[in-house]
Amino acid sequence: MTQAQARKRHAQLVEEIHAHDYAYYVEAQPKISDRDYDRLYHELLELEKIFPELAAPDSPSQRVGGEPLSEFKSVRHSVPMLSLDNTYSEEEIRDFVKRLEKLLSGEKLDWIVEPKLDGVAISLRYENGVLVTGATRGNGTEGDDVTANLKTIRSVPLKVQSGAGILPAKDRLEACPTMLEVRGEVFMPVAGFEKLNAERKAAGEELYGNPRNTAAGSLKQLDPKLVAKRPLDIVVYNLGKVESASAHPKTHTEVLDWLKSLGFKTPEKIWHCHSADELISAINELDKVRKNFPYETDGAVIKLNSFAQRERAGFTAKAPRWAIAYKYAAEQAETKLNGITIQVGRTGALTPVAELEPIFLAGSTISRATLHNEDEIKRKDIRIGDTVVIEKAGEVIPAVISVVEAKRPRNAGPFDFEKFLHGKCPVCGGKISRDPDYSAWRCENLQCPAQATRRLEFFTARGALDIESVGGIVADKLVERNLVREPLDLFELKLEQLATLNLGNEESPRTYGEKNATKAIAAIERAKTFPLSRWIFALAIPDAGKTTAQDLAKFHETIDGVAKSQLLKDILDYHEKISELPGLRRENPERHERLKKEIAEVADRLIASHFAAPSKKRSGAGFQPAGGQDARPTKKAEKELGIVTKVGPVVAKSVLDFFASQNGKQILRRMKELEIHPASEKISATKAAGLPFAGKTFVLTGTLPTMTREKATDEIRARGGGVAGAVSNNTDFVVAGEEAGSKLEKARKLGIKILPEKEFLAMLGSGSKDTQKKTGELF
């Protein structure tokens, strides 16, 4: 795989994983199984392992999870709520144990196995024994303050008891700590879920899909009175931060005993093991008994019992080294495929969905399952009328796994995607075509209502133009009433149009209202002068994610400047010419020499146009011979040339092609007509060279006490520095917070300057000249 191919695939994976993170953690509506998510994530990690430069700060590998829900105030966790690495095989468990035995050589290890609840991760904070804050995991560093909702759960103690009498006398906690954080999982008991659905069925209301999503949706409610009607429960199994305790448990089993003594509900059953064989035996035993638990489980958690050993084992950037989650094989069942329907996404992608004979599986009734795409249907030879095997992977998402060919009807013919749709979009009737780069058919009509709704939701999302008051059902109705066909139509909406918008139906009308409409119009008006990077991202340009949008905005004054960018043209030209060099010296020496001069000229233009004057010393344009053949320029040579590009040829081509298209030209024209003028974020060459962090590369690791990684990244970038996801010889500084992992160790080995947060903050305030560098950096 070439670097360009890797970059393109990495961008696709980042977008997919972020979308699934948002669906799972923010919307509580997962679109794929845990196993499929893990496959995407592991593919991304492998790409970053081969191409470390892809590990940008916005990569899912640099983070734990998704963004906090917007309806509640954000709360910063005193100790990060990390996720666990997953495994699906016994062999990987043995490998995990061997790694820890090697890491803690000569030490006797004992392990705990406990059920992995399928619920919502929660942190409870007690001060002087009284519950003061309850928060969701959120992105692992910050979560939502759902204290009022958690107080409605009767198994959550509002005041904790004494822990005396549980620990050995010499280590006994005679009173509750001054500050205590406990971690656990909120869930909806299976019996409570079934009762709730029975009540909804009797009332003629739509049934809930499964206990996990219902629990998550309940915690999102703003009215605690409504939450109090839901049969929620909690199990706690870990500690966060503990202050002023007379003694502290030394093992996980002591923690569970202590938590139980304080009045918390702890895991139904745990196993104490001393070897890999015992762990596997415990996992198999758990699988047999877990159906008797009052809550749903999807696996087993394996963790070291000793806290001292956990501390020595340490953490990676994402997860503790001393724990792992084993996922059980998903439940399967057979049912009939009655039909196939096609859904239309934001980009026009047509996704086939199986319409099934309803069947009860893993706690809920399944009537639909994803078929992914045309290639997947062909590979599995799925036909309408087939008896299919469905799997509730992760015990949440249904998928068609295979076909029971012995039960296939004689008249069941192969599924022809194009013929089935008669060559037309199922929503708008527009022409469809097969995307040559992906396993997808797309609707070519950009005015398709289905696409319009999805694009409008993306355009108005918090990470884009932050007009969330017109998302969700409002977006659906705006498109349905033909008030908005494309996102820019928002800027022509009138107050009365929004105020009278019917969010219900003709039988049960529900208007948006003047108060909401006034807020929405104000938000729309504010967006006209939002920063250029937010606009580039909101336009959903292929391969241009949030970080890329920020990079583009640094070097362009206006949206027109991006559309006609000589910088992007030069990047394309530069990489196209470089690709011709290998092997050319012997085949065509004259062309080889001429091309070297042309590359040097392009490099000069790049530097002269966007940085300081080009270096007079070119040394063969910075290219080094390798084995008799000319290769790509070395990283050192590229730095000498000032060509260190984070925006590569794939992105450059995507951006230029987007604005050269008919749709792109229309967007630029309408933005002028609507007087939309995104705020410039461009940094001049002179200013860039004079910024305190110019040319310096930072790596962030661990949790900073007073600022998020996003904030630290913004501060570094604002001062001209770059932030990388991995430590290398090119790293200038490593900013290390609490529980820093392998990056910190690597930095020490390489002799890289390590900055604790206090020193980093001082550097931010002083604009220290020792962080400056003479040469600039392109993107």
Side-chain angles (χ1 to χ4, degrees), residues 246-259:
S246 55
H248 195 290
K250 293 179 174 58
T251 65
H252 187 69
T253 50
E254 288 182 0
V255 164
L256 294 179
D257 288 341
W258 185 38
L259 289 173

Side-chain angles (χ1 to χ4, degrees), residues 342-364:
I342 309 295
Q343 295 179 337
V344 185
R346 172 174 59 86
T347 62
L350 306 177
T351 303
V353 177
E355 302 295 338
L356 306 167
E357 191 73 32
I359 185 171
F360 192 80
L361 177 66
S364 62

Side-chain angles (χ1 to χ4, degrees), residues 33 138 160 208 223 256 313 375 403 407 427 446 593 612 623 638 647:
S33 69
V160 295
Y208 291 124
D223 185 359
L256 294 179
D375 288 354
V403 171
K407 297 181 180 181
V427 174
L446 294 176
E593 290 304 313
F623 298 105
E638 285 191 328
V647 173

Side-chain angles (χ1 to χ4, degrees), residues 117 139 184 207 335 379 412 465 492 508 511 526 595 696 757:
L117 275 70
N139 64 9
L207 302 185
T335 189
R379 186 177 70 81
L465 295 186
E492 294 182 335
S508 303
T511 57
R526 281 197 304 272
L595 192 57
K696 292 295 182 182
E757 190 193 51

Side-chain angles (χ1 to χ4, degrees), residues 210-284:
N210 58 69
R212 193 272 167 197
N213 284 5
T214 309
S218 299
L219 288 179
K220 287 175 62 178
Q221 298 295 325
L222 294 174
D223 185 359
K225 293 180 181 177
L226 182 60
V227 181
K229 297 177 182 178
R230 303 286 173 84
L232 297 177
D233 205 340
I234 190 171
V235 164
V236 298
Y237 46 72
N238 210 349
L239 296 176
K241 193 171 185 178
V242 180
E243 290 181 354
S244 302
S246 55
H248 195 290
K250 293 179 174 58
T251 65
H252 187 69
T253 50
E254 288 182 0
V255 164
L256 294 179
D257 288 341
W258 185 38
L259 289 173
K260 193 170 184 178
S261 77
L262 292 173
F264 295 101
K265 183 181 286 188
T266 53
E268 198 79 8
K269 182 175 174 60
I270 66 167
W271 287 258
H272 200 163
C273 306
H274 300 88
S275 68
D277 287 339
E278 289 186 14
L279 285 174
I280 291 169
S281 177
I283 288 168
N284 291 333

Side-chain angles (χ1 to χ4, degrees), residues 12-83:
Q12 293 167 1
L13 288 169
V14 168
E15 184 174 347
E16 265 192 88
I17 292 170
H18 280 329
H20 290 310
D21 280 346
Y22 186 85
Y24 189 91
Y25 292 103
V26 181
E27 297 181 318
Q29 295 177 347
K31 301 296 190 298
I32 62 174
S33 69
D34 287 353
R35 187 183 289 258
D36 286 339
Y37 180 95
D38 288 338
R39 288 190 187 115
L40 293 175
Y41 189 81
H42 289 144
E43 183 182 352
L44 179 116
L45 291 181
E46 283 302 309
L47 277 179
E48 293 184 354
K49 190 174 180 181
I50 300 169
F51 301 95
E53 65 274 17
L54 296 180
D58 66 336
S59 170
S61 66
Q62 305 302 303
R63 62 185 295 170
V64 176
E67 295 294 324
L69 301 172
S70 60
E71 291 92 339
F72 300 94
K73 181 181 69 175
S74 290
V75 176
R76 186 175 179 85
H77 302 306
S78 300
V79 177
M81 296 182 70
L82 297 177
S83 60

Side-chain angles (χ1 to χ4, degrees), residues 594-619:
R594 187 164 64 252
L595 192 57
K596 283 173 62 178
K597 291 180 181 178
E598 290 176 5
I599 291 171
E601 289 172 2
V602 175
D604 281 341
R605 285 204 307 275
L606 284 169
I607 300 172
S609 299
H610 304 284
F611 302 97
S615 169
K616 293 180 180 180
K617 184 178 180 182
R618 279 289 167 224
S619 183

